[in-house]
Amino acid sequence: MKKTGKLMVILGLCLMLTGCTDSTQKSAEPQLLLGFSQLGSESSWRIGNTRDIEEKADEYGISLMMENANQKQENQIAALRRFIAYQVDVIAFSPIVEEGWDHVLEEARRAGIPVVLVDRTIRSEKDDLYVCLIGADFYQEGVSAAEYLLRKADRLGKDELHIVEITGTEDSTPMRQRHAGFMDRIAGDRRMQVLESVNGDFLKSRGAECMRYLLEKYGDEIDVIYSHNDEMTLGALPEIEKAGFEPGKDMVIISIDGGQEAIDILKAGKINCIVECTPMLGSTLMETALALKAGKQVKKETHPVEKVFSDEQDLSQIEPRGY
Ligand code: GYE
């Protein structure tokens, strides 16, 4: 074959392999590559959050590398390292716990890749390991839960209310802040007596286990259950009924998230109050990623606006929740 013939064959092969046949296709290439490490699939909140991020990446024409860490920090660290090796434009992740990210985030910084925290934050001596945080104000969620309880206590007219708390994953931001906001807000009200806080890891199965333990230990002494997410609440409710109590009547049930299943149970009167925590963070994440790629400044913290749903309101008007 002549030299020019060979060249044509090679060129043809290249075009077949890359699929880049003309400039119109080239301009349809994604404008940005985003690596996102999701922490797991422990709740309908998390599943809704994953879905929203996938859908919004699609809408914004952003190419998404999504990895699910199945509730393990080491899997998240490994995913972040893969994103760095792949030289993505922006890294985003939802840290399962707050501590232990310094090394990998320094690696990202050295590689010049901006890091966005989604949903949860980290704790570190260094304050320049991430660019910004997009997530709920969990402290305020705890305060809102407590404020509902204070109003409920007024309505019930009781001198004392015995509270048990089922908390989320140890050392996670929502666990720390939902606990702190609630405890700070009830402190100083003599009626509020906390019997015990137990760790339910944000899981339905652990919510059930915790509830069995609490019922065995305190029985009808329990007046209030404050659960850090819907999934644990959904695990706890059948245990309360099995023990012969009516949730929502014999015991005040307070939950956080506001997924559809829990909202339906709130409407049926077995949950008294749900503090909303929205998983719909995808649009803000995509806009932030695009701004970072364009070299623009972004806000250090963005919190979505959230509501409280409770037996104090007409619940028939709640829109379908989408998670
Ligand atoms: O409340 C819970 C999930 O970090 C806000 O994690 C999130 C929490 C959410 O497992 O259901």
Side-chain angles (χ1 to χ4, degrees):
M1 211 188 282
K2 276 196 193 146
K3 241 188 187 170
T4 42
K6 262 192 202 164
L7 254 178
M8 291 304 286
V9 173
I10 292 170
L11 196 67
L13 272 174
C14 286
L15 290 175
M16 270 163 64
L17 285 174
T18 59
C20 291
T21 48
D22 60 33
S23 57
T24 22
Q25 262 177 311
K26 204 156 193 198
S27 68
E29 266 181 20
Q31 42 188 340
L32 184 149
L33 178 57
L34 171 66
F36 179 69
S37 161
Q38 181 58 286
L39 68 86
S41 322
E42 73 283 4
S43 62
S44 53
W45 190 100
R46 187 69 51 202
I47 291 162
N49 178 250
T50 302
R51 197 188 319 120
D52 185 55
I53 289 172
E54 281 168 346
E55 284 172 7
K56 294 303 177 330
D58 228 40
E59 268 172 41
Y60 280 77
I62 288 174
S63 169
L64 179 67
M65 276 176 85
M66 163 93 80
E67 295 217 19
N68 188 317
N70 293 315
Q71 259 60 47
K72 289 208 170 65
Q73 182 175 30
E74 68 252 35
N75 291 348
Q76 282 202 289
I77 293 174
L80 299 188
R81 293 216 160 102
R82 279 192 290 277
F83 297 153
I84 296 168
Y86 209 84
Q87 296 182 308
V88 300
D89 297 303
V90 176
I91 290 178
F93 78 115
S94 298
I96 183 157
V97 290
E98 291 194 343
E99 312 232 350
W101 303 101
D102 282 25
H103 289 305
V104 70
L105 293 186
E106 265 162 18
E107 289 166 30
R109 194 182 45 195
R110 276 200 297 275
I113 304 175
V115 173
V116 178
L117 302 183
V118 178
D119 165 33
R120 303 181 181 181
T121 193
I122 60 162
R123 281 213 288 185
S124 168
E125 309 266 277
K126 306 179 179 112
D127 57 5
D128 56 351
L129 291 178
Y130 65 92
V131 186
C132 63
L133 163 72
I134 302 164
D137 182 345
F138 301 125
Y139 186 87
Q140 180 54 47
E141 290 174 354
V143 169
S144 299
E147 285 178 345
Y148 165 80
L149 184 58
L150 294 171
R151 292 193 300 274
K152 182 79 177 175
D154 292 343
R155 277 188 284 148
L156 291 172
K158 292 218 183 155
D159 295 338
E160 268 190 20
L161 282 175
H162 298 111
I163 304 163
V164 294
E165 181 188 35
I166 307 180
T167 69
T169 305
E170 195 92 50
D171 187 36
S172 72
T173 315
M175 179 266 157
R176 285 178 186 283
Q177 296 184 3
R178 287 173 182 169
H179 171 79
F182 183 84
M183 295 302 163
D184 287 353
R185 190 63 188 83
I186 61 168
D189 189 310
R190 294 254 202 88
R191 295 170 298 178
M192 304 293 151
Q193 311 274 332
V194 179
L195 295 173
E196 194 168 338
S197 291
V198 284
N199 172 12
D201 210 11
F202 284 129
L203 296 169
K204 187 172 182 179
S205 57
R206 293 276 303 127
E209 264 173 52
C210 289
M211 200 63 238
R212 279 198 295 277
Y213 160 81
L214 292 165
L215 284 162
E216 225 163 80
K217 189 158 171 191
Y218 301 104
D220 66 359
E221 258 187 87
I222 302 172
D223 298 307
V224 180
I225 293 141
Y226 169 46
S227 156
H228 284 197
N229 83 340
D230 287 346
E231 234 58 42
M232 297 187 297
T233 310
L234 296 174
L237 291 177
E239 301 302 323
I240 299 171
E241 287 175 325
K242 269 188 249 162
F245 302 104
E246 259 191 89
K249 300 208 167 56
D250 300 329
M251 295 176 187
V252 176
I253 314 290
I254 304 174
S255 188
I256 302 184
D257 276 354
Q260 191 63 54
E261 196 178 348
I263 290 288
D264 291 342
I265 297 174
L266 170 75
K267 287 181 181 168
K270 292 185 185 185
I271 296 177
N272 302 84
C273 172
I274 302 180
V275 177
E276 179 185 36
C277 179
T278 179
M280 308 307 183
L281 306 173
S283 296
T284 314
L285 171 58
M286 299 312 146
E287 270 157 34
T288 305
L290 288 171
L292 290 173
K293 174 103 195 260
K296 294 186 191 149
Q297 286 278 340
V298 296
K299 251 172 90 182
K300 188 76 190 174
E301 290 200 4
T302 308
H303 301 302
V305 181
E306 296 179 327
K307 301 185 189 119
V308 176
F309 304 110
S310 79
D311 56 10
E312 300 160 299
Q313 308 151 10
D314 169 13
L315 298 170
S316 62
Q317 303 306 318
I318 302 177
E319 299 274 314
R321 304 292 299 150
Y323 61 104

